[in-house]
Amino acid sequence: MTTSHKPRVAIIGGGPGGLCLTHLLDQAGIESTIFERDTSSVDRFQGGTLDLHFEDGLKAIKQMGLWEAFVKHARYEGEAIVIADRKGVKYFDEKPGEEDADRKEQRPEIDRVKLKEILLPNLPEGRIRWGSKFLSMGLEPTLKLHFEHGIEEGFDLVVGADGAWSRVRRYLSDTLPTYSGVAGFDLKLSAAGVKKYPHIANFVGLGSYFAFSDQKSATLQRLGDGGIGCYAWKVQAEDWQATCGYDVSDKEAVRPALLEQFKDWCPEIREYIKHADGDMMPRSLYMLPVGFTWEHKPNVTLIGDAAHLMTPFAGEGVNTCFADCLELADKLSEKVKAGASKEEFDAAVKEYEEGMFKRAAKVTRETKENMDAFFYDPNFPGNIMEIMAERMEGPPGERRPSAGQIIDQVIGN
């Protein structure tokens, strides 16, 4: 005879994925606690802007009951997209409203910092244990979670939402992320800078401007605070920070290096680099293998980057993470409502993993293909319309995606 089980869930990591999951578990009546290594929500740079998709990101926002808060910060005009080469020759130029009417509701932009601000309020006091650095855990006979502050017990499931270099992942697999071959810098021109240099703002437009050439890219994006962010990527060796010949932590050393790298690019991009007044943070892009899986083990699983780290070149990272949260919470909720046993509860986690593996394999493959096109196809972006045409062809009877949705897939907006 089995007895019903009401589980307690420990979530390692308080990023968007961990916050989304705890909201959804609340709705299912499942107790959860987030353990976050940062001491507050503003300890680290949160990143630039992203778009949430109707079928996963926006679905999660609505299911969490946060739609009204979300639309206050969502930028529908941010869906404007330009794809060009280093000389500023445009191969695709789309503004909101030029397509089918429902697209405005499908993929609005929002700054990562605002997304986190939306997810943080209304959580019970003590739900997030700030300053909790996860060290290790014991799985048998009962879960014991080791943190710098001590040992935590009494949990039935540990969910690793701890990002690219997940410490939870090592209990499921020895696989580590590998270097993608692409690295560069995050830059920012403040709102004051945008007002001072309006020609740069006019060049970028209302949304995003993507330029690709010669194994480099410059992605300029409008931000919700009035500024303009930029990712300046380049194909380079993994040890580039140690061998580049300048101090990557000194922006006044970084600036001339970037101007040299982009010396034959259009004046507006060089002007942006010249006048960028925010920090210039070095970034190296890592990824897990396409189709990464692990053998199921009781009491532990992963979501988000911990489960399927990918480069940002399909715009699916947070959306795929939110899909993980939706599916895991749904599977667990079904079992709890049915009065399931601990064994049946674990079976639900395994079901989640099997579905997630298939879904993530498709997205990570798409992201890898995009990266290869952006940085290794000498015809890109000149062949962007051919790529769009190929991707719009689907099986007979299947609804074809809109041009805007294809572009989102191709350039990761």
Side-chain angles (χ1 to χ4, degrees):
M1 177 179 176
T2 60
T3 56
S4 62
H5 180 66
K6 191 125 182 187
R8 293 183 68 218
V9 178
I11 302 170
I12 310 300
L19 293 170
C20 177
L21 182 59
T22 197
H23 276 286
L24 295 174
L25 291 177
D26 270 354
Q27 295 183 356
I30 298 173
E31 183 181 347
S32 64
T33 302
I34 294 174
F35 295 93
E36 168 56 46
R37 67 176 181 176
D38 289 347
T39 58
S40 76
S41 63
V42 294
D43 269 12
R44 284 182 290 158
F45 174 66
Q46 301 299 315
T49 187
L50 52 82
D51 64 345
L52 294 185
H53 303 171
F54 178 79
E55 63 275 14
D56 34 46
L58 294 182
K59 181 179 178 181
I61 292 291
K62 292 176 180 178
Q63 194 159 317
M64 288 184 280
L66 300 174
W67 181 251
E68 290 186 7
F70 172 78
V71 295
K72 292 178 182 178
H73 301 286
R75 303 193 313 280
Y76 296 101
E77 72 280 2
E79 290 196 284
I81 299 170
V82 172
I83 299 176
D85 63 16
R86 63 185 174 86
K87 296 296 186 182
V89 176
K90 297 180 181 180
Y91 294 92
F92 187 88
D93 187 357
E94 178 188 270
K95 298 177 177 61
E98 292 183 359
E99 278 203 320
D100 49 325
D102 67 344
R103 184 170 181 247
K104 276 192 75 174
E105 299 176 3
Q106 289 186 342
R107 299 180 178 227
E109 296 279 329
I110 187 168
D111 290 0
R112 290 175 182 269
V113 65
K114 290 299 180 184
L115 177 61
K116 197 165 183 179
E117 287 177 8
I118 291 167
L119 294 169
L120 275 170
N122 303 317
L123 291 176
E125 186 176 351
R127 172 63 56 84
I128 304 177
R129 301 278 296 277
W130 298 104
S132 297
K133 184 177 181 180
F134 176 74
L135 301 176
S136 63
M137 65 180 173
L139 298 175
E140 298 291 345
T142 59
L143 279 174
K144 285 189 176 182
L145 307 182
H146 296 262
F147 297 88
E148 280 191 343
H149 66 258
I151 296 175
E152 300 283 348
E153 299 181 84
F155 294 97
D156 304 280
L157 175 65
V158 177
V159 179
D162 49 342
W165 301 100
S166 169
R167 292 194 175 199
V168 178
R169 188 197 300 126
R170 65 189 183 189
Y171 292 91
L172 296 168
S173 172
D174 294 329
T175 302
L176 295 173
T178 57
Y179 179 54
S180 70
V182 176
F185 290 89
D186 292 355
L187 296 81
K188 182 178 180 180
L189 181 65
S190 66
V194 170
K195 291 180 180 179
K196 189 174 180 180
Y197 305 104
H199 62 290
I200 296 177
N202 292 335
F203 172 79
V204 175
L206 296 175
S208 300
Y209 188 106
F210 296 85
F212 303 93
S213 285
D214 307 326
Q215 297 192 316
K216 303 172 192 173
S217 76
T219 299
L220 294 88
Q221 296 179 306
R222 290 278 191 164
L223 302 175
D225 65 1
I228 296 174
C230 175
Y231 298 104
W233 301 123
K234 177 187 175 184
V235 173
Q236 48 194 334
E238 186 173 10
D239 64 351
W240 69 280
Q241 294 190 39
T243 61
C244 63
Y246 58 91
D247 184 355
V248 297
S249 65
D250 178 0
K251 72 177 182 181
E252 296 312 322
V254 172
R255 194 186 312 276
L258 286 177
L259 287 170
E260 175 62 24
Q261 288 178 19
F262 291 88
K263 63 183 178 181
D264 55 353
W265 285 51
C266 63
E268 292 85 355
I269 290 176
R270 288 178 51 78
E271 282 280 299
Y272 177 92
I273 296 170
K274 181 179 178 181
H275 298 299
D277 51 7
D279 292 334
M280 298 183 179
M281 289 176 287
R283 302 284 187 195
S284 295
L285 300 180
Y286 286 80
M287 59 189 187
L288 285 166
V290 172
F292 171 66
T293 63
W294 59 83
E295 183 179 347
H296 174 74
K297 291 182 180 178
N299 308 323
V300 58
T301 193
L302 306 172
I303 63 171
D305 285 350
H308 38 66
L309 177 66
M310 65 188 87
T311 61
F313 302 119
E316 293 285 358
V318 169
N319 289 289
T320 305
C321 177
F322 278 18
D324 296 345
C325 298
L326 286 164
E327 292 180 15
L328 179 57
D330 184 58
K331 297 289 186 186
L332 299 182
S333 176
E334 287 178 3
K335 297 300 182 182
V336 169
K337 289 177 181 177
S341 66
K342 187 172 184 178
E343 292 73 21
E344 290 169 323
F345 182 76
D346 184 65
V349 177
K350 186 176 181 180
E351 288 177 17
Y352 150 73
E353 291 173 343
E354 291 171 349
M356 180 269 291
F357 291 152
K358 295 177 183 178
R359 176 170 45 79
K362 177 179 181 295
V363 176
T364 53
R365 185 175 300 109
E366 184 178 90
T367 305
K368 176 65 165 58
E369 290 173 354
N370 287 352
M371 184 182 72
D372 290 345
F374 298 167
F375 295 99
Y376 299 102
D377 182 348
N379 297 315
F380 194 86
N383 59 352
I384 182 65
M385 301 308 292
E386 297 173 23
I387 294 175
M388 285 178 60
E390 290 175 2
R391 295 198 181 184
M392 289 185 76
E393 294 178 1
E398 184 177 289
R399 186 186 177 200
R400 295 181 179 181
S402 67
Q405 290 171 325
I406 293 296
I407 280 293
D408 284 348
Q409 294 172 12
V410 173
I411 49 79
N413 184 41

